[in-house]
Amino acid sequence: MPELPEVEVVRRGVARWVVGRTVRSARFLHPRVTRRHVAGPEDAVARTEGLVVADAVRRGKYLWMPLATPAGDAVDAMVVHLGMSGQLLVEAADAPAEKHLRAVWEFDDDREDLRFVDQRTFGGIAVVPLVGVADGGLGGRGESVDAPWSRFVPAPVAHIARDPLDHAFDDAQFAKRLREKTTGVKRALLDQTLVSGVGNIYADEALWRAKLHYARPTRSTTKAQAAALLAGLREVMTAALAAGGTSFDSLYVNVNGASGYFDRSLAVYGQEGRPCPRCGSLVRRDAFMNRSSFSCPGCQPVPRTAHW
């Protein structure tokens, strides 16, 4: 599942190639692609065509495009969830259709189309209202902060917390809420209402950087440990962004179809049996929430009061 860096790479591509263009036509080619749009594909088309893609915005793993009238009045937002294999691609209008093409947007400037390709059909599109939220709006990456939609998010995203790269992320509040939970620290990181955009890969990498075991009880984390954890998250996500994301699955690509290569720089995730880059201990793998968790037994010893 793409995490924050992968979704941000896609967002930047959409911002470069699509923002400011007017949708001439929208076509949804598979019934599952609009399953999150309750009113159905015809309604999604009607609420998209003739509108301007005003911005490309992300909160955590969620990506959306505010839609506006030509006069600049915000109307709705088109939310794109990539799922496990979703791809947003910018393609020439006459390029052959991809095998798993699910949606196509054409624009009135007759330049490149935007296409949604999804082999496993876990992703989807919904056109939804923008709503105000208690934390003051977006504050995330790349949005136009003076635009009429800057204090709003799509309704399905309203419960999602800000992410560690958000300029308005509250470090002190994160530490406080982390200590209020009664779980292991990695489970808390995967809770998108505490901090968004973090999945299995970057949780493991950040915990390794902070020298914390994934089963450390959240109630026992100190302010210094919470700060180290946030620093680890920001460090690994920033590095992954620079590398174009992590492409364990060849289906993750940017809008031009290129894969990321941060997997070459991972310290522990997927490195079972290999030496830790810091201390040389062999990386271990444990079963975790129907997945795997990777850590270093030397740098990240199991705490005496582990919360499994």
Side-chain angles (χ1 to χ4, degrees), residues 1-5 7 58-63 81 135 156-164 166 169 174 177-178 181 183 185-203 233 237 289 291:
M1 185 74 73
E3 300 180 32
L4 184 157
V7 179
R58 176 195 52 75
R59 178 174 280 202
K61 305 175 188 180
Y62 283 82
L63 170 68
H81 199 288
D135 65 4
V157 185
H159 68 290
I160 300 296
R162 293 179 182 271
D163 64 64
D166 190 320
F169 188 87
F174 168 81
R177 291 188 60 203
L178 183 66
K181 290 185 172 292
T183 187
V185 66
K186 181 175 177 178
R187 285 179 180 268
L189 287 180
L190 299 181
D191 178 359
Q192 302 299 298
T193 65
L194 173 68
V195 56
S196 66
V198 184
N200 212 34
I201 296 174
Y202 298 115
L233 284 170
M237 287 179 170
M289 296 175 63
R291 289 175 281 185

Side-chain angles (χ1 to χ4, degrees), residues 22-28 45 48-51 103-108 113-114:
T22 301
V23 179
R24 181 174 62 207
S25 69
R27 290 180 286 139
F28 299 102
V45 169
T48 304
E49 291 182 344
L51 296 178
V104 180
W105 295 270
E106 297 175 335
F107 301 91
D108 67 356
D113 295 343
L114 180 65

